[in-house]
Amino acid sequence: MIPALRALWQGGWVSWSGQHYQVPEMMIEPHPPQPVPILCGGESDAALRRAAGLCDGWIGTAYTFDDAAAYVAKLDALRREFGRAERTFRDHAGAHRSAVTGSLQAGAGHRYHGGDVCPWMAIPTVAAGDDVERYRGPIERFAETVVAQCR
């Protein structure tokens, strides 16, 4: 579907035929004024190949820095295999809460574009009527110990 979407987003009348989808002549208007970046997730070989071969980036879940770096290296190799090594590609993954500070230090100078951290993940889910103030402490500690290092 990714190649079909890219064709449709170019504007004007488009028909498209691929292995799994056939799009009869149609148009999507207004079409995006510039290409829409597509980021793909997943860790399987098929998902990584799809991200490297068809997408503009990859989104992972929560990893240690070493695990995330291993996925980025695999994606780099696949992008070279597909002749897409020179194209812009964004790697984005989450960090395990326990590895956030070490990940920031280890990641300095590494081609890694972004990540997500949730310092409150160890706190049980808020139920209706619960006091959300219990999140304040972990968020403030995260700001003091991690965010401050990034400034």
Side-chain angles (χ1 to χ4, degrees):
M1 182 54 72
I2 292 168
L5 289 170
R6 291 194 193 277
L8 288 165
W9 290 335
Q10 291 178 13
W13 290 98
V14 174
S15 61
W16 190 89
S17 182
Q19 181 179 359
H20 301 289
Y21 297 97
Q22 284 72 47
V23 178
E25 192 166 344
M26 64 181 296
M27 76 166 68
I28 295 179
E29 293 295 342
H31 64 279
Q34 56 197 23
V36 175
I38 297 175
L39 281 65
C40 186
E43 299 168 352
S44 68
D45 287 340
L48 294 173
R49 292 181 71 76
R50 179 173 36 256
L54 296 173
C55 297
D56 304 302
W58 172 75
I59 299 177
T61 57
Y63 308 102
T64 64
F65 176 78
D66 290 340
D67 289 343
Y71 283 117
V72 170
K74 185 167 187 172
L75 286 160
D76 286 346
L78 288 167
R79 291 177 58 237
R80 282 190 299 278
E81 178 184 323
F82 291 124
R84 301 182 84 223
E86 301 304 317
R87 298 181 80 166
T88 299
F89 192 83
R90 298 194 57 82
D91 305 303
H92 188 95
H96 281 294
R97 182 174 164 265
S98 60
V100 171
T101 303
S103 294
L104 287 172
Q105 293 166 348
H110 189 277
R111 184 191 61 78
Y112 189 66
H113 295 102
D116 299 318
V117 291
C118 299
W120 53 87
M121 285 181 71
I123 299 172
T125 304
V126 174
D130 278 355
D131 182 12
V132 296
E133 282 298 311
R134 65 185 172 159
Y135 289 95
R136 183 178 302 280
I139 292 170
E140 287 175 350
R141 279 190 300 283
F142 180 76
E144 293 164 3
T145 60
V146 177
V147 175
Q149 294 180 35
C150 298
R151 294 189 174 154

